[in-house]
């Protein structure tokens, strides 16, 4: 009897131990699943040289941008979002590091085809922080933080990259030779990782390639339930270089065959609406793969329009810079890139393009007092259109006048993961602005 009772006690203890083990592993597995779900996907949509009201939701007069607008109607519209820098490279460095550009050395100019350096690999990028948390990371589009191999995005936290290394005016295209390209060898390249995929890039189908690459990245990671970071850095709406042949005005913007019958040439409206189409493809991929509710989407621009480019660039919006107009010499003329002032009695704003010492083209510039966009620290260059959505976390149809900055993206994303930066950041966590509560 005692033996039978002992066996019964041992059996009971074994069953209890098994029960406790099952409970323990169930909780552990549940925590693992919850931890995965607590890591939202991050999608950053970053425009190039877009003005404050160049998209419909911010008051664009002509361009139709229903897909980008959707981010705002389903989320929050930032009416006081500020770029932390006045030019492309510096602004992109602030987005990637959460630091002012002076601290990363990306100041005051931009990286050019002849640049030997880029953002130092010692800087910790948002992509690197997220990779530490198990994220898949990809950049599609413009990098502009160095095109020598040590400085490429795939050496700074990104698993993959399809895009161009600098702005669209950085090199010649098949049907658009830059005025500075004397021997016609400075072709604008398209990179795939660390390799040049084609040179010059084929603009005629560039938008479609950007869209399909982004969508494939979303679908493949959603399928295996891997959290992902997509940095969709549009090449739109930066203008092309001043052409060696013909007038700049009329062939300074670009778009694919999808948006322009005269591709690679296009209008500014073509460029804006094509950018919106790419954004729509990204949003559709999130919906189709079932991860839209688990994804924070942010849209903004690196800096404002290049006002002197006139029809090639966007709008200053409500930020007129009247003080500058009233306090700068009326004889001062701002010309498009590569053009220089050459006033004539009957054309005081005349600008000329010189090629090999001879007159190649001329057009009229603008009064320097109007040139408060790209390259300046006036509001029309720093106040950016910005939107964000995250269903269930960000209330739909909200607006804010809280002052926020591109600097704040990195610390805000890290806060979602309860992750601390290893460095002293200049940006701050703006979760309270996004969600409207602590």
């Amino acid at each position: 009897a005692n033996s039978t009772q002992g066996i019964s006690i041992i059996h009971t203890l074994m069953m209890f131990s098994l029960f406790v083990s099952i409970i323990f592993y169930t909780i552990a597995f549940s925590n693992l699943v919850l931890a995965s779900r607590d890591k939202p996907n991050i999608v950053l949509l970053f425009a190039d040289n877009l003005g404050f009201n160049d998209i419909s939701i911010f008051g664009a007069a002509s361009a139709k941008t229903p897909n980008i607008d959707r981010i705002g109607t389903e989320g929050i519209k930032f009416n006081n979002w500020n770029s932390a820098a006045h030019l492309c490279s510096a602004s992109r460095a602030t987005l990637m590091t959460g630091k002012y550009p002076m601290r990363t050395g990306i100041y005051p100019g931009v990286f050019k085809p002849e640049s030997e350096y880029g953002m130092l690999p010692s800087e910790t990028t948002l992509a690197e922080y997220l990779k530490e948390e198990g994220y898949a990371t990809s950049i599609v589009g413009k990098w502009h933080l160095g095109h020598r191999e040590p400085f490429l995005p795939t050496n700074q936290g990104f698993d993959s990259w399809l895009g161009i290394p600098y702005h669209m005016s950085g090199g010649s295209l098949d049907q658009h030779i830059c005025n500075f390209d004397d021997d016609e060898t400075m072709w604008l390249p398209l990179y795939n990782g660390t390799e040049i995929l084609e040179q010059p890039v084929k603009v005629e189908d560039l938008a479609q390639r950007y869209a399909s690459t982004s969508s494939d990245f979303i679908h493949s990671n959603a399928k295996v339930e891997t959290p992902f970071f997509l940095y969709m850095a549009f090449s739109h709406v930066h203008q092309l270089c001043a052409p060696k042949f013909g007038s700049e005005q009329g062939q300074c913007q670009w778009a694919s065959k999808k948006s322009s019958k005269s591709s690679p040439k296009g209008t500014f409206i073509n460029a804006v609406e094509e950018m919106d189409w790419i954004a729509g493809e990204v949003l559709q991929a999130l919906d189709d793969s079932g991860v839209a509710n688990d994804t924070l989407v942010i849209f903004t621009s690196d800096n404002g329009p290049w006002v002197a480019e006139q029809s090639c660039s966007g709008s200053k919006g409500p930020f007129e810079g009247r003080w500058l107009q009233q306090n700068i010499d009326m004889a001062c003329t701002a010309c498009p890139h590569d053009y220089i002032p050459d006033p004539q009695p009957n054309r005081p704003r005349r600008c000329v393009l010189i090629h090999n010492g001879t007159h190649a083209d001329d057009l009229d510039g603008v009064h320097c007092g109007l040139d408060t966009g790209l390259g300046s620290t006036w509001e029309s260059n720093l106040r950016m259109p910005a939107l964000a959505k995250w269903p269930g976390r960000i209330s739909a149809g909200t607006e804010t006048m809280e002052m926020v900055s591109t600097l704040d993206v990195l610390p805000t994303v890290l806060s979602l993961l309860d992750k601390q930066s290893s460095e002293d950041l200049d940006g701050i966590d703006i979760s309270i602005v996004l969600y409207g509560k602590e």
Side-chain angles (χ1 to χ4, degrees), residues 25-287:
Y25 286 112
T26 300
I27 292 173
F29 178 75
S30 297
N31 287 338
L32 182 63
V33 172
L34 287 173
S36 177
R37 290 177 180 170
D38 284 343
K39 293 180 178 179
N41 308 307
I42 308 297
V43 173
L44 299 183
L45 305 173
F46 208 54
D48 193 6
N49 289 10
L50 190 74
F52 183 80
N53 64 351
D54 286 337
I55 55 176
S56 302
I57 196 170
F58 278 88
S62 301
K64 301 295 186 290
T65 55
N67 298 301
I68 294 172
D69 296 348
R70 176 188 161 194
I71 301 171
T73 56
E74 294 182 4
I76 186 170
K77 178 174 178 249
F78 296 93
N79 293 317
N80 196 6
W81 183 293
N82 295 267
S83 173
H86 68 309
L87 289 171
C88 306
S89 294
S91 177
R92 288 157 198 274
T94 67
L95 176 67
M96 287 291 102
T97 66
K99 298 179 184 178
Y100 282 116
M102 292 77 75
R103 293 183 59 203
T104 59
I106 318 299
Y107 190 86
V110 299
F111 293 113
K112 299 179 180 180
E114 61 270 24
S115 297
E116 293 293 330
Y117 298 99
M119 187 170 70
L120 294 178
S122 57
E123 296 292 343
T124 305
T125 67
L126 178 56
E128 289 171 315
Y129 283 117
L130 292 177
K131 275 189 71 67
E132 291 174 356
E133 297 298 312
Y135 276 69
T137 58
S138 181
I139 171 176
V140 177
K142 173 183 172 180
W143 174 235
H144 215 179
L145 290 172
H147 63 283
R148 308 299 178 184
E149 186 160 346
F151 313 109
L152 293 178
T154 46
N155 289 321
Q156 306 229 35
F158 288 97
D159 298 324
S160 62
W161 173 41
L162 177 78
I164 62 171
Y166 23 79
H167 44 63
M168 290 297 292
S169 61
S172 297
L173 304 174
D174 274 336
Q175 301 177 47
H176 189 100
I177 308 299
C178 296
N179 183 65
F180 58 76
D181 188 2
D182 291 332
D183 54 3
E184 300 185 13
T185 60
M186 299 181 65
W187 304 106
L188 185 65
L190 177 70
Y191 275 75
N192 183 13
T194 60
E195 303 295 326
I196 292 179
L197 185 63
E198 62 187 34
Q199 192 172 16
V201 58
K202 297 175 182 175
V203 171
E204 291 84 351
D205 65 354
L206 184 60
Q208 293 88 327
R209 295 163 86 173
Y210 279 2
S212 63
T213 301
S214 300
S215 298
D216 289 346
F217 175 76
I218 291 170
H219 284 295
S220 61
N221 286 288
K223 185 176 181 179
V224 296
E225 299 184 353
T226 298
F228 59 82
F229 168 39
L230 172 64
Y231 176 29
M232 177 61 249
F234 300 103
S235 297
H236 306 72
V237 292
H238 198 292
Q239 86 289 343
L240 301 178
C241 60
K244 182 181 294 188
F245 309 108
S247 176
E248 183 204 48
Q249 298 295 308
Q251 56 173 322
C252 52
Q253 266 296 346
W254 63 280
S256 75
K257 289 181 178 179
K258 180 188 180 303
S259 304
S260 173
K261 293 180 180 178
S262 57
S263 179
K265 300 178 181 66
T267 66
F268 181 77
I269 300 301
N270 290 153
V272 172
E273 294 184 348
E274 183 160 271
M275 176 181 66
D276 181 73
W277 174 78
I278 298 172
E281 294 296 291
V282 170
L283 297 177
Q284 190 63 51
L286 295 174
D287 292 338

Side-chain angles (χ1 to χ4, degrees), residues 250-380:
Q251 56 173 322
C252 52
Q253 266 296 346
W254 63 280
S256 75
K257 289 181 178 179
K258 180 188 180 303
S259 304
S260 173
K261 293 180 180 178
S262 57
S263 179
K265 300 178 181 66
T267 66
F268 181 77
I269 300 301
N270 290 153
V272 172
E273 294 184 348
E274 183 160 271
M275 176 181 66
D276 181 73
W277 174 78
I278 298 172
E281 294 296 291
V282 170
L283 297 177
Q284 190 63 51
L286 295 174
D287 292 338
D288 292 345
S289 59
V291 296
N293 291 346
D294 303 316
T295 304
L296 170 62
V297 179
I298 298 175
F299 171 87
T300 188
S301 180
D302 58 354
N303 45 250
W306 197 337
V307 177
E309 296 288 341
Q310 300 173 70
S311 66
C312 309
S313 70
S315 167
K316 296 194 296 183
F319 313 117
E320 298 178 10
R322 287 190 296 271
W323 185 93
L324 188 64
Q325 296 177 40
Q326 297 165 3
N327 289 274
I328 198 167
D329 187 349
M330 283 302 296
C332 180
T333 295
C335 297
H337 188 51
D338 287 341
Y339 284 72
I340 58 174
D342 184 31
Q344 301 294 314
N346 61 334
R347 290 179 64 189
R349 301 283 177 225
R350 184 174 184 257
C351 298
V352 297
L353 183 67
I354 304 298
H355 179 69
N356 288 335
T358 62
H359 176 279
D361 184 42
D362 62 75
L363 49 75
D364 288 333
V366 299
H367 177 225
C368 292
L370 297 174
D371 192 23
T372 54
L374 180 68
S376 82
T377 54
W378 290 86
E379 202 164 13
S380 58

